[in-house]
Amino acid sequence: MDFKKETRMLYRWIARIGNLLLRLLWHLLHVIINLCHFTLGIANALESHLISWGILGRYKSLHVAKLRYLAIVVESEEAYQISNIIELLQWLAAVGIKYVCLYDREGILKKSKDFILEKLDGAILFKEAHENNVLLDQTHMTLEFASFSDGKETMAKAANVLFKKYLKSGATDKIQEEQIFTESQMAEALKTVGSGGPEPDLLLIYGPARCHLGFPAWRLRYTEIVFTTVRQNYGS
């Protein structure tokens, strides 16, 4: 009896020691991960400041050529900070990004597009430079301004354009064995109503929102979406 009792007590002590060691190991790993995350945060912040001060070379490892078209979603509150938007665009131009679409839900940036274009040396509107939505190599920045009205409202207008063409064609009494509207026809209709821009390679959503705030969804089929809530000072 004494031997069995002592064996049970030994097992209990081993189990307690094992649980204690596992807890210590879990806390140790937690501390190590937090320290790594904190260290990386400090390193990134320091790198950003060194780049802003001109001490460190600016993003030489970036493959800007792969980013053909960048779209940025800005919340309405941030959209009123036009000076910050201009600073951001100047930074993007400095790293070699030439095609940018600025979107805010209320169209604040669209209303300020003339002022923004004046502050950017050589910048032009996308629809004035590329009638066929072809991204060409160039030295100046091309901007597109979009708002919520370029979403569902524009899609409804484009559908109305296609419907009118369909009625004029006199095909309403014929049996349609093929698609009435094709993707290319819809793209042409969107271009007709003034919203036929290309699909962005990357969509940055700036602010606390975790959605694209009404950015035209048909232009995001193959777009990578990144959310950011960090306010940064962009180096010139």
Side-chain angles (χ1 to χ4, degrees), residues 33-45:
I33 292 173
N34 284 339
L35 286 175
C36 291
H37 187 268
F38 179 73
T39 303
L40 287 174
I42 293 179
N44 290 334

Side-chain angles (χ1 to χ4, degrees), residues 47-60:
E47 182 184 19
S48 298
H49 285 294
L50 291 176
I51 292 171
S52 300
W53 296 333
I55 299 175
L56 190 64
R58 285 184 286 179
Y59 304 102
K60 294 181 179 179

Side-chain angles (χ1 to χ4, degrees), residues 20-80:
L20 179 62
L21 290 176
L22 288 175
R23 290 183 181 180
L24 290 175
L25 180 61
W26 186 89
H27 286 294
L28 180 61
L29 290 174
H30 186 69
V31 170
I32 292 174
I33 292 173
N34 284 339
L35 286 175
C36 291
H37 187 268
F38 179 73
T39 303
L40 287 174
I42 293 179
N44 290 334
L46 180 60
E47 182 184 19
S48 298
H49 285 294
L50 291 176
I51 292 171
S52 300
W53 296 333
I55 299 175
L56 190 64
R58 285 184 286 179
Y59 304 102
K60 294 181 179 179
S61 61
L62 282 179
H63 301 289
V64 179
K66 295 181 179 180
L67 184 57
R68 297 284 290 165
Y69 202 84
L70 171 66
I72 304 174
V73 173
V74 184
E75 283 203 335
S76 297
E77 182 180 349
E78 301 292 342
Y80 283 104

Side-chain angles (χ1 to χ4, degrees), residues 8 21 40 53 58 84 97 106-107 114-115 122-123 135 138 140 150-151 165 173 203 211 215 218 229:
R8 286 197 297 269
L21 290 176
L40 287 174
W53 296 333
R58 285 184 286 179
N84 291 341
I97 297 175
E106 298 181 10
D114 292 333
F115 178 77
L135 301 181
Q138 58 185 27
H140 54 264
D150 297 306
K165 288 183 178 180
D173 297 329
L203 178 71
C211 63
F215 189 93
W218 59 87
T229 57

